[in-house]
Amino acid sequence: MESDFLTWLRHRLPAHATGPLGLTDDAALLELRSSDRVLVSADMLMDGVDFVVGQCDPLMIGRKALAVNLSDMAAMAAQPRAALVSLALPRQHGRPLAEAIFEGLLPLAEEYEVRLAGGDTNSWNGPLVIDITVIGEATDRGPLLRSRALPGDEILATGSFGGSILGRHFSFSPRVREALMLHRDFELHAAIDVSDGLALDLSRLAHESGCGAVLRTDQVPLSPAATQLADQNPAAGSALDHALSDGEDFELLIAATPSEVQRILASRPVSVPLARIGRLIEKQGLWQESAASEMKPLAPAGYLHQLDP
Ligand SMILES: [Mg+2]
């Protein structure tokens, strides 16, 4: 099955969409501009956790599998260059599923100029698993890290938060272009992408930078889907609760000095909405503050994979 499928895939891909060896050899040859700025990240999606085969379009599964990896490159302000795509396919209907996954991810690869450098295609008596490794390059300014935020920095967020389960977890745009543009034109200190929840990922950025964070809960942009979820089932939380902890928003949190954040907001350099949603402080921990009230602790809620001891 694998060689048939590879023949299909090679014919399906435009010549420029693979590396110089074109998926023909045992390993890929990558032509990167600089060998000292290479960034690598991997993300694995599993049937039953990140999507449910049979309940969603397999094209969207393929798209999402690449998009989540591109979001990690955006968080580092890196230009994604190549992807290695590995599939563990259920034997039954595995071939059309594999084709649909690639049909879903290839347009996104084309849009972001990511070459398909290789991967692996296996089948088994288990559910679908997609593992993608993306290789990217930092710009001359180097990668944006989580750990360089300073107390006093403000936190800028792209887009809006919450309710991604209603569809945006499949259709989101990784903020690669926005990150590259902001990193090029402004002095950014640190960044992270929100994959597991705004509160949890903000706490991670603050922790890596050795400081705490205060979230201005009245300034968090709520997505229409967060409001919709809260309206449908008030017992499951408010729109703000969804925005803080749902995850899979794949927006960016960026730390920069207040004057730099002001300069960014004044010049509106990207088409995606930007909002100032909080600040970093010396006191460790995660805190919330509304327009009128004082600081209160905020639980770093979000999605974590559970492991049995
Ligand atoms: Mg990430």
Side-chain angles (χ1 to χ4, degrees), residues 148-156 189 205-206 209-214 254-262 276 278-283:
R148 300 280 165 83
L150 296 169
D153 280 354
E154 288 184 331
I155 301 149
L156 201 60
H189 286 169
L205 182 144
S209 290
C211 43
V214 182
I254 295 165
T257 62
S259 60
E260 203 62 2
V261 167
Q262 190 53 44
R276 184 171 15 202
R279 63 186 187 278
L280 291 145
I281 56 171
E282 264 174 45
K283 186 176 180 178

Side-chain angles (χ1 to χ4, degrees), residues 74-85:
M76 310 286 293
Q79 174 70 57
R81 296 279 183 213
L84 299 157
V85 179

Side-chain angles (χ1 to χ4, degrees), residues 63-74:
R63 185 192 183 280
K64 178 177 180 177
L66 181 60
V68 299
N69 279 279
L70 299 186
S71 182
D72 279 328
M73 287 290 146

Side-chain angles (χ1 to χ4, degrees), residues 16-138:
H16 65 269
T18 61
L21 300 182
L23 300 185
T24 55
D25 284 72
D26 292 291
L29 177 66
L30 294 179
E31 291 171 327
L32 300 173
R33 289 198 200 120
S34 158
S35 60
D36 60 0
R37 298 200 301 254
V38 178
L39 293 159
V40 183
S41 99
D43 221 320
M44 182 164 67
L45 302 191
M46 297 169 295
D47 185 9
V49 176
D50 301 281
F51 53 81
V52 178
V53 171
Q55 288 180 22
C56 55
D57 183 350
L59 271 74
M60 297 309 283
I61 298 173
R63 185 192 183 280
K64 178 177 180 177
L66 181 60
V68 299
N69 279 279
L70 299 186
S71 182
D72 279 328
M73 287 290 146
M76 310 286 293
Q79 174 70 57
R81 296 279 183 213
L84 299 157
V85 179
S86 295
L87 302 180
L89 292 155
R91 281 207 184 88
Q92 220 182 5
H93 309 303
R95 173 67 187 265
L97 184 59
E99 289 187 14
I101 286 165
F102 275 94
E103 293 295 356
L105 73 82
L106 290 175
L108 195 70
E110 183 96 352
E111 182 186 342
Y112 286 84
E113 297 176 59
V114 177
R115 288 178 161 184
L116 189 64
D120 202 2
T121 310
N122 295 345
S123 62
W124 69 327
N125 288 322
L128 173 66
V129 180
I130 311 177
D131 183 66
I132 298 188
T133 298
V134 166
I135 295 158
E137 275 183 285

Side-chain angles (χ1 to χ4, degrees), residues 231-245:
D231 289 347
Q232 279 169 6
N233 182 7
S238 66
L240 178 63
D241 293 332
H242 284 287
L244 295 181
S245 62

Side-chain angles (χ1 to χ4, degrees), residues 72 75 146 192-193 195:
D72 279 328
R146 293 180 181 182
I192 189 169
D193 70 317
S195 51

